[in-house]
Every structure is written in structure tokens, then in C-alpha cells.
Amino acid sequence: KQWYQRRVAITAGADLIFYTITPHDRRITTGVVQTISCDITGLRSAADITWKDPDGNDISTGDTSNYFVDDGTAAFANGAQTPKLTIKTAILSTISSATSYKCSVTSGCYPGSPVYEKSVVVTPIVVTAGNREVLRGTDAVVISCKVTGLTAALQTVKWQKSDDATDVTTGETGYTSNEGLFDGDSQTTTLTVASAQNTADSTYACLITPAAQDDATEVSTVVTLNTFSE
């Protein structure tokens, strides 16, 4: 997880009060409900929290079809508060690149104090199919899936035949898989399909599990191998 802190100073009468906001960026998979958060420490009492969407609009606690807002006040203890925003699948399906939500904080002790905001960035992990065409029953062919939005190498990679869920990752005659190398924020895994397997159109499922630090669940895509005759 990537994060950074902001230390906030509030002048209240003769007092100078400090509290710290630490946002927690997340990698996400779009088919699963995701929760983002920020930690606030050094408070004298629970702060007033507002979450803002990527367009800068306040997210209503009543918008339960798209979000669930937890301002963290119920669990406030020892000067610490962790507001959370649960993003539901209807919204997640629209996120195609790094997107910022804002955790907006006002001191509960001193309501007239300034509002401070920190961005929490969600970055989707996207799997793109590398479909191929091949002359029926001739050369071996390589199909692939490219995974972007990563911070580290994938934990696991698995290839399956879609028609019967046969695992062709290792030990299956006619197939050779390669996990690929992590490069920047992406990794491309491949499956070589031997000529003997290229007798008809077929589809394969590429199933990947991101690294634990990417805080995302297993995601998959279907890769198509089309055959044609002369």
C-alpha cells in the first residue's frame, strides 16, 4: 500500500493542536466491492468527516446503491479515527484508471476550524486478453493476458480450458505456460498452444492473483484462439 501523511495544525485560543491524516491508496479489482480509508490521529474528539467523489461532490450517506459511508466515529478511541468508504460494483465498473476520492476532515472540537482534505487513490488492476488466430492444425501459437495496475509481481497465474476447466498451466500435454516478468506496473503471462491442440476454435481462462500488498482479489479474463483453414 502506498500512503503519505499530512500533519495539520489548528489554533484554538491559546492552544496549538496537531493531528495527522494518513490516506491509504488501494489497488482494486472492479468486480468486487472495495473499501478505502484514511487514518486520523492526534484528535481531542471525533472529527467531522465528509467523503468526496472524483468530481469533488460530497457523497451522501443516503446513497447506499453506490457507496456506504462510515465516518469512524463509532470506533473513535485514544485520539484516533479511521473513516471508511465502501465503493460498490456499480461505481467500480466505471473506473478504468487511477481515480482520487477525498477524505475531508474538520475538527469536532473546534467546528469553525478549517477543512483539510487528503486524496485516497484507487487504481484498477486490469487484465487484457491477447487473442490470436492460427491456421488450423499447423504451427504452435502463443496467447497471452497482460495485467496492469500492479505494484509487485503476481502471486499466482493459472490457465484453464474454458470448455471443461482443465488446468493447462503445468503438466498438460500440448501446453506450456510462462508467468512472465513484472515490469513497471504490469506483467504479461503467456500460454503456448501446440499445433495438435489447434484443431478448432477454443477459449482459455487466464486467472491471476495479485500480490498481497496490492490488496486485491483473484481476477480473470477469457482469451480466444480462433482457427481457420486455407
Side-chain angles (χ1 to χ4, degrees), residues 49-203:
I49 305 297
T50 301
W51 282 97
K52 294 188 176 182
D53 68 17
D55 295 323
N57 302 312
D58 291 355
I59 297 174
S60 168
T61 55
D63 185 10
T64 55
S65 60
N66 294 317
Y67 300 100
F68 177 75
V69 177
D70 176 3
D71 64 9
T73 56
F76 175 80
N78 301 316
Q81 184 173 346
T82 302
K84 298 177 181 178
L85 177 68
T86 298
I87 310 171
K88 299 190 176 180
T89 53
I91 296 296
L92 290 170
S93 63
T94 68
I95 298 176
S96 59
S97 59
T99 300
S100 295
Y101 286 82
K102 281 188 170 62
C103 177
S104 180
V105 182
T106 306
S107 169
C109 240
Y110 304 100
S113 61
V115 176
Y116 292 96
E117 297 178 342
K118 295 306 297 178
S119 293
V120 181
V121 181
V122 293
T123 303
I125 292 175
V126 178
V127 185
T128 304
N131 303 324
R132 291 292 304 275
E133 287 189 350
V134 65
L135 182 61
R136 189 172 296 132
T138 57
D139 296 335
V141 65
V142 178
I143 58 176
S144 65
C145 66
K146 181 176 182 179
V147 189
T148 58
L150 303 171
T151 64
L154 299 170
Q155 281 193 75
T156 62
V157 174
K158 184 194 235 180
W159 286 91
Q160 287 181 341
K161 291 182 68 176
S162 296
D163 57 355
D164 59 8
T166 298
D167 187 343
V168 296
T169 312
T170 58
E172 187 72 14
T173 301
Y175 299 94
T176 305
S177 68
N178 186 324
E179 287 190 355
L181 298 175
F182 175 67
D183 182 15
D185 70 344
S186 67
Q187 185 171 338
T188 299
T189 177
T190 62
L191 180 70
T192 301
V193 183
S195 58
Q197 311 301 324
N198 297 335
T199 57
D201 293 351
S202 54
T203 57

Side-chain angles (χ1 to χ4, degrees), residues 208-230:
I208 61 94
T209 305
Q213 69 196 59
D214 281 338
D215 214 11
T217 56
E218 183 182 77
V219 64
S220 66
T221 194
V222 173
V223 184
T224 302
L225 176 58
N226 290 324
T227 61
F228 61 92
S229 56
E230 291 183 310

